[in-house]
Amino acid sequence: MYQINDNYLKLPGSYLFSTIGKKVAAYSAANPDKNIIRLGIGDVTQPIAPSIIAAMHKAVDEMGNAETFHGYAPDLGYEFLRDAIAKNDYQARGCNISADEIFVSDGAKSDSGNIQEIFSTDNRIAVCDPVYPVYVDSNVMAGRTGTYDPKTETWSNVIYMPCTAENHFVPELPKETPDMIYLCLPNNPTGTTLTKGQLQEWVDYANKVGAVIIYDAAYEAYISEDNVAHSIYECKGATTCAIELRSFSKNAGFTGVRLGFTVVPKELKCNDVSLHALWARRHGTKFNGAPYIVQRAGEAVYSEAGKRELKAQVAYYMNNAKTIKNGLKDAGYEVYGGTNAPYIWLKTPNNMTSWEFFDYLLENANVVGTPGSGFGPSGEGYFRLTAFGNYENTVKALERIKAL
Amino acid sequence: MYQINDNYLKLPGSYLFSTIGKKVAAYSAANPDKNIIRLGIGDVTQPIAPSIIAAMHKAVDEMGNAETFHGYAPDLGYEFLRDAIAKNDYQARGCNISADEIFVSDGAKSDSGNIQEIFSTDNRIAVCDPVYPVYVDSNVMAGRTGTYDPKTETWSNVIYMPCTAENHFVPELPKETPDMIYLCLPNNPTGTTLTKGQLQEWVDYANKVGAVIIYDAAYEAYISEDNVAHSIYECKGATTCAIELRSFSKNAGFTGVRLGFTVVPKELKCNDVSLHALWARRHGTKFNGAPYIVQRAGEAVYSEAGKRELKAQVAYYMNNAKTIKNGLKDAGYEVYGGTNAPYIWLKTPNNMTSWEFFDYLLENANVVGTPGSGFGPSGEGYFRLTAFGNYENTVKALERIKAL
């Protein structure tokens, strides 16, 4: 009889957001008069910008006409989009990345889950702790992580790099040598980031020990400080050790539009094998391109009007971040992030656990956030609030928290 | 140092369509006055139907408005689409499939490449020969296929089931027991299919030996005969042995819109493990939903107007199929398929190889098709023409072939 992939059975239940949902539903049912404000999930709330809407309408019309209809897209994405990405996201920042090193996809979650497929299952991964769960879970499914210890909530064959207030959320170079290093900067969930100089140390380290960096730059549009790199390719030597993942979800509100891309430099080689060729083969075999309409939407992100509109959208969310950050500070909280990222990471007061604070905030302020422990053991004692709500609700939430 | 997934290096170059492209480009450059007609690649040419275009415009507008904006979609797809699929594609045909057994995706190519991930790498696969290359290639990448013999163009650990004129393109039950059986019906590339009774034998066999069937029904909209099943779940016992993959690419022209779905019945279990739960976990971890706009387009496929328009679109292509089939018969060719599928599979004349006939047809009729040997060793001596061109070109191509 056929057998399943046993690695799936090792996965502990992914109950973070479902537990949150159940707790909120139960509270809401018991207190129907309460107005609950959700600053938990990292989904955006602002509508798609007008110039992008216009581009999508135009593309929809093209699909309805035999002369302008588009069937299968080129495997790696349309040239018009790859050119715009290469020019705006890379060449304009001095990064030596060309259009044919860019692979357009249906989003960074797919890419961050799938990228491990081109690597050996014998490789050992290193992740920051706390961390976006997809990096670890996709490696569990592939059989790369060893056994799970429910007591410590860690995997035997994963190198964890704690990021806490004690080390200013700067991961230390690991003592054991990893093969694959996942870095998400600016970081989800902590909202913190590294300086360009600190990132350069990771690039140098990876090149030295022969590790590959999977660099998730989904939040780069929120960077406000000059000494923070928008792309890992701003660091010297990164094209020989790093793959970069990008998303349109947060810079352009595409969580429901679905578009992302991955950069695999042609210089990036494992011995003589080009990772670019491997990812091209994976993309060509197990994916069939992002929708034409969506790729045209992506192109509009880089138009003059699109840039202007999205700058305002990012500013809107970052004003929320400032509102949350300053409000929490005024209320006496220890607060991190929110300067180069749309996430605010707070230390729970009075040594509450993350979940205790979740209940406290829900019951007393009717505000929903995300318990830090849900992102990994070093997230215990922390709590995440997101800036992706609307401004009015964000202000109201902070008024309630300050009144506690 | 990190290592790559060595299985990728075992893959022979996938040169079929690139070789075709090069040959056509070279001929075209040497003969710039010739008007080449392409009946090779399985991409559609007719524009998206008006009611679907209208649904997409409406959805685009919703995305531009804060009150109707849609962020992340539900992991497994919107209820409105899953309900429409369950009702129209299954319950209306007497299949006991419910909306929560349907997983909406970005297309059947992704699903057919990814579905093997939830199974053990120790499983042995069986495929028809000739076959859609993704089934084999995705299993090569996963390390399930053994070693490649370039002489026979086969993998040591794959069970091949020849489908040729000799056995009327009906695969025989394999002598060695497979764990996973890929069936594409109606078939790409041969354009042939099985009767419902013949399919029932496969379902009974799979249940008996403990195999799982991966059933690709991408071409079901082209079925014209009553004794052919549109879904494998029309067969008794299929919900305990079969996963079904469906596409919107060919029934609604969505090759550039990107939408598909997979059905994993809740009854389908490997010992006590639910495959539905495994695929849900895979979907939730490594995918983030199809675009809202595209899911609304999918919903419109099932509207009254959508059904009417798409029936006409399928009839348009099937009229091409008839034109090709009758034209080839008139010209003395031995022809298969084209009755329940948009593909015509012809025996090459005078014992030409598939590639010899490709060159002959390109040079003498300026018509491009696909050499059967590109789909597997048993495709040698056959040739595929597709009905997805426009009618005028199809007629012209057949006139040229008849004049040879």
Side-chain angles (χ1 to χ4, degrees):
Chain A
M1 179 166 182
Y2 73 93
Q3 298 300 321
I4 59 149
N5 177 349
D6 280 334
N7 295 312
Y8 275 65
L9 304 182
K10 299 179 194 167
L11 282 166
S14 178
Y15 295 131
L16 178 61
F17 288 104
S18 90
T19 306
I20 291 174
K22 280 178 199 159
K23 276 178 176 271
V24 174
Y27 180 82
S28 197
N31 303 274
D33 56 317
K34 301 290 187 187
N35 168 25
I36 294 171
I37 299 176
R38 291 157 205 269
L39 301 178
I41 294 178
D43 199 358
V44 297
T45 52
Q46 293 300 296
I48 300 298
S51 59
I52 300 170
I53 292 292
M56 287 200 281
H57 277 306
K58 182 163 176 276
V60 168
D61 280 333
E62 288 182 69
M63 295 298 279
N65 189 311
E67 280 69 46
T68 52
F69 172 77
H70 283 76
Y72 290 121
D75 265 1
L76 310 184
Y78 280 102
E79 283 303 319
F80 61 75
L81 178 56
R82 300 166 84 200
D83 285 344
I85 292 168
K87 194 178 146 205
N88 290 279
D89 284 326
Y90 294 101
Q91 290 154 14
R93 294 194 183 280
C95 303
N96 186 22
I97 296 295
S98 59
D100 64 357
E101 296 175 306
I102 292 160
F103 297 75
V104 174
S105 78
D106 66 322
K109 186 179 175 194
S110 305
D111 285 349
S112 60
N114 292 331
I115 193 71
Q116 48 75 32
E117 290 180 28
I118 63 170
F119 296 100
S120 167
T121 51
D122 292 333
N123 286 347
R124 190 164 184 200
I125 70 164
V127 294
C128 293
D129 170 24
V131 70
Y132 177 52
V134 170
Y135 310 149
V136 175
D137 288 358
S138 58
N139 278 287
V140 173
M141 292 168 170
R144 219 173 258 116
T145 56
T147 53
Y148 185 68
D149 180 350
K151 209 175 141 194
T152 59
E153 296 183 352
T154 58
W155 294 87
S156 62
N157 199 37
V158 172
I159 298 170
Y160 292 89
M161 307 181 291
C163 294
T164 62
E166 284 68 44
N167 63 10
H168 308 287
F169 303 97
V170 177
E172 289 166 34
L173 298 178
K175 288 179 191 71
E176 299 167 281
T177 305
D179 299 301
M180 298 159 61
I181 302 164
Y182 286 83
L183 293 177
C184 175
L185 296 168
N187 187 256
N188 172 21
T190 67
T192 60
T193 194
L194 303 189
T195 64
K196 192 172 159 183
Q198 288 168 328
L199 183 59
Q200 182 67 57
E201 286 178 39
W202 280 92
V203 170
D204 294 342
Y205 170 77
N207 274 320
K208 195 180 84 182
V209 301
V212 62
I213 296 175
I214 314 290
Y215 191 76
D216 185 346
Y219 301 95
E220 71 81 23
Y222 294 85
I223 293 171
S224 68
E225 293 180 325
D226 285 341
N227 64 343
V228 177
H230 287 253
S231 163
I232 195 167
Y233 304 116
E234 292 179 44
C235 294
K236 216 177 149 183
T239 52
T240 58
C241 71
I243 290 171
E244 182 163 295
L245 314 178
R246 287 279 188 105
S247 168
F248 288 80
S249 286
K250 307 302 162 76
N251 66 326
F254 277 25
T255 53
V257 176
R258 310 304 316 139
L259 192 66
F261 62 90
T262 288
V263 182
V264 188
K266 292 196 170 175
E267 287 187 341
L268 182 55
K269 287 182 182 174
C270 177
N271 300 317
D272 282 342
V273 180
S274 155
L275 298 191
H276 184 280
L278 297 184
W279 188 241
R281 191 66 197 249
R282 198 268 168 211
H283 228 59
T285 302
K286 299 172 80 175
F287 181 61
N288 222 341
Y292 174 72
I293 297 160
V294 172
Q295 294 197 50
R296 282 292 182 198
E299 182 189 37
V301 166
Y302 298 101
S303 67
E304 285 314 309
K307 284 180 189 172
R308 196 173 53 242
E309 291 161 3
L310 294 176
K311 199 172 163 187
Q313 198 172 84
V314 166
Y316 176 94
Y317 290 131
M318 286 309 277
N319 187 45
N320 287 349
K322 194 174 153 191
T323 303
I324 298 171
K325 194 163 182 171
N326 290 345
L328 289 172
K329 275 186 185 166
D330 290 349
Y333 287 87
E334 205 177 301
V335 188
Y336 306 95
T339 302
N340 296 298
Y343 295 121
I344 284 83
W345 190 244
L346 64 94
K347 190 91 194 71
T348 57
N350 308 321
N351 290 317
M352 283 188 202
T353 67
S354 297
W355 276 110
E356 283 168 356
F357 186 70
F358 174 89
D359 291 334
Y360 171 78
L361 209 62
L362 174 61
E363 288 162 20
N364 297 289
N366 306 140
V367 171
V368 179
T370 311
S373 55
F375 297 99
S378 295
E380 181 59 275
Y382 292 92
F383 198 79
R384 190 187 80 173
L385 291 173
T386 93
F388 287 128
N390 70 46
Y391 178 67
E392 295 70 24
N393 279 342
T394 304
V395 169
K396 207 182 291 172
L398 268 294
E399 279 168 5
R400 293 186 195 166
I401 293 172
K402 282 195 267 190
L404 286 177
Chain B
M1 179 165 181
Y2 74 94
Q3 297 300 321
I4 59 148
N5 177 349
D6 280 335
N7 295 312
Y8 275 66
L9 304 183
K10 299 179 194 166
L11 282 166
S14 177
Y15 295 130
L16 178 62
F17 288 104
S18 89
T19 306
I20 292 173
K22 279 177 201 160
K23 277 178 175 272
V24 174
Y27 180 80
S28 197
N31 303 276
D33 55 316
K34 301 289 187 188
N35 169 24
I36 294 171
I37 299 177
R38 291 158 204 270
L39 301 178
I41 293 179
D43 199 357
V44 297
T45 52
Q46 294 301 296
I48 300 299
S51 59
I52 299 169
I53 292 291
M56 286 200 281
H57 277 306
K58 183 163 176 276
V60 168
D61 281 332
E62 287 183 69
M63 295 299 278
N65 187 311
E67 279 69 45
T68 52
F69 172 77
H70 284 75
Y72 290 121
D75 264 0
L76 310 186
Y78 280 103
E79 283 302 320
F80 61 76
L81 178 56
R82 300 166 83 200
D83 285 344
I85 292 168
K87 193 177 146 208
N88 289 280
D89 285 326
Y90 296 100
Q91 290 154 15
R93 294 194 183 278
C95 304
N96 185 22
I97 295 295
S98 59
D100 63 358
E101 296 176 304
I102 290 159
F103 297 76
V104 175
S105 77
D106 65 322
K109 186 179 175 195
S110 304
D111 285 350
S112 60
N114 293 330
I115 193 72
Q116 47 77 30
E117 290 181 28
I118 64 171
F119 296 101
S120 168
T121 51
D122 293 333
N123 286 348
R124 191 164 184 201
I125 70 163
V127 293
C128 292
D129 170 25
V131 69
Y132 176 53
V134 170
Y135 310 149
V136 175
D137 288 358
S138 59
N139 278 288
V140 174
M141 292 169 169
R144 218 174 259 116
T145 56
T147 53
Y148 185 70
D149 180 349
K151 211 176 138 196
T152 59
E153 297 182 352
T154 58
W155 295 88
S156 62
N157 199 38
V158 172
I159 298 170
Y160 292 89
M161 306 180 294
C163 294
T164 62
E166 283 67 44
N167 62 11
H168 309 285
F169 303 97
V170 177
E172 289 166 33
L173 298 177
K175 288 179 191 70
E176 300 167 280
T177 305
D179 299 302
M180 297 158 62
I181 302 164
Y182 285 83
L183 292 176
C184 175
L185 296 168
N187 188 253
N188 172 20
T190 67
T192 60
T193 194
L194 302 189
T195 64
K196 192 170 158 183
Q198 288 168 328
L199 183 60
Q200 182 68 55
E201 287 178 39
W202 280 93
V203 170
D204 294 343
Y205 170 77
N207 274 321
K208 195 181 85 185
V209 302
V212 63
I213 295 175
I214 314 291
Y215 191 77
D216 185 345
Y219 300 95
E220 70 83 23
Y222 294 85
I223 293 171
S224 69
E225 294 181 323
D226 284 343
N227 64 342
V228 176
H230 287 253
S231 162
I232 195 167
Y233 304 116
E234 292 180 44
C235 294
K236 213 175 150 184
T239 53
T240 57
C241 70
I243 289 171
E244 182 164 293
L245 314 179
R246 287 278 189 106
S247 168
F248 288 80
S249 286
K250 306 302 163 74
N251 65 326
F254 277 24
T255 53
V257 176
R258 310 303 317 138
L259 192 66
F261 62 90
T262 288
V263 181
V264 189
K266 293 196 169 174
E267 285 186 345
L268 182 54
K269 288 182 182 175
C270 178
N271 300 316
D272 282 343
V273 180
S274 155
L275 298 192
H276 184 280
L278 296 185
W279 188 241
R281 190 65 196 250
R282 198 271 168 207
H283 228 59
T285 302
K286 298 171 81 174
F287 181 62
N288 221 340
Y292 174 72
I293 297 160
V294 173
Q295 294 197 51
R296 283 292 182 198
E299 181 189 37
V301 166
Y302 298 101
S303 66
E304 286 313 309
K307 284 180 190 172
R308 196 173 54 241
E309 292 161 2
L310 295 176
K311 200 174 162 186
Q313 198 171 85
V314 166
Y316 176 93
Y317 290 132
M318 286 310 275
N319 187 46
N320 288 348
K322 195 175 152 192
T323 303
I324 299 171
K325 194 163 183 172
N326 291 344
L328 288 172
K329 275 185 186 167
D330 290 349
Y333 287 88
E334 206 178 299
V335 188
Y336 306 95
T339 302
N340 296 299
Y343 295 120
I344 283 82
W345 190 244
L346 64 96
K347 190 90 193 73
T348 57
N350 307 321
N351 291 318
M352 282 188 204
T353 67
S354 299
W355 277 111
E356 283 168 355
F357 186 70
F358 174 89
D359 291 334
Y360 171 78
L361 209 61
L362 174 61
E363 288 162 20
N364 297 289
N366 306 142
V367 170
V368 179
T370 311
S373 56
F375 298 100
S378 294
E380 181 59 274
Y382 292 92
F383 198 79
R384 190 187 79 174
L385 292 173
T386 93
F388 288 128
N390 69 46
Y391 178 66
E392 295 70 25
N393 280 341
T394 303
V395 169
K396 206 182 293 172
L398 267 295
E399 280 169 5
R400 294 186 194 165
I401 292 173
K402 281 194 268 187
L404 285 178

